[in-house]
Amino acid sequence: MAVRGRDGLDLDEAWRQGAEAHLGITVAGFPNLFLLYGPNTNLGHNSIVFMIERQIAYALDAIRELATSSIAELEVRADVQAASNRRLQEELGQTVWATDCHSWYKTDEGRITNNWSGPTVRYWWRTLRPRRADFARTRRRPTRPEPAAAAHSG
């Protein structure tokens, strides 16, 4: 399935060096795309159901904003995604998954793209609700009123 974002950006191409998303849910360059069980949300110590429930709640909060406001697009800011993933990779570098071995958790270059780096309570806290400042918003364009129908007399 081809997923295209802003300006036709292809998700496969964007993830050529390894999948990356803010909190495993939103991807810079792909407005209104919300992932479940996205990059770095796998667990080795708890239930994935918990993670997916958090992702659903987070996405629904964002979708609710889209449905009830003048906002047409929500897109995680690239700098927010980059900072979030830098922190994640630094933390993952201290885990057993970072050892010098071949693993499906890692890309060929050794970047860990599957596992969450900490306790699930931290994921709960970070996904409690989308932080307004983390997203760029594009407003809906005003619609033109339909021309009035000519009166018909019979």
Side-chain angles (χ1 to χ4, degrees):
M1 174 172 76
V3 177
R4 302 227 181 268
R6 186 168 306 290
D7 300 322
L9 178 62
D10 180 72
L11 188 60
D12 285 340
E13 181 62 24
W15 284 358
R16 186 181 63 246
Q17 301 290 334
E20 180 178 298
H22 178 57
L23 302 173
I25 303 170
T26 55
V27 182
F30 293 84
N32 299 347
L33 175 65
F34 303 99
L35 306 172
L36 301 181
Y37 198 38
N40 291 107
T41 61
N42 188 55
L43 296 172
H45 64 287
N46 210 318
S47 169
I48 194 61
V49 173
F50 171 80
M51 300 293 273
I52 293 171
E53 288 173 343
R54 293 304 320 137
Q55 294 157 17
I56 290 168
Y58 186 94
L60 284 175
D61 279 351
I63 292 166
R64 232 177 257 112
E65 179 179 353
L66 290 165
T68 61
S69 73
S70 62
I71 302 301
E73 295 179 349
L74 282 175
E75 180 182 348
V76 68
R77 293 181 11 227
D79 63 313
V80 169
Q81 179 176 310
S84 175
N85 279 279
R86 245 187 330 273
R87 174 182 171 187
L88 187 68
Q89 291 301 317
E90 287 170 7
E91 292 172 354
L92 285 166
Q94 306 301 312
T95 68
V96 67
W97 296 296
T99 60
D100 192 26
C101 66
H102 180 72
S103 161
W104 69 273
Y105 294 115
K106 301 190 292 190
T107 64
D108 290 341
E109 294 78 28
R111 190 163 163 260
I112 301 167
T113 58
N114 287 311
N115 289 13
W116 175 245
S117 63
T120 54
V121 71
R122 184 180 334 140
Y123 192 77
W124 172 82
W125 184 251
R126 292 196 62 203
T127 59
L128 193 56
R129 65 187 45 88
R131 290 183 46 201
R132 187 162 182 77
D134 290 350
F135 292 87
R137 287 166 172 73
T138 305
R139 294 196 173 279
R140 283 189 180 85
R141 293 184 189 144
T143 57
R144 291 186 191 165
E146 293 293 321
H152 177 64
S153 59

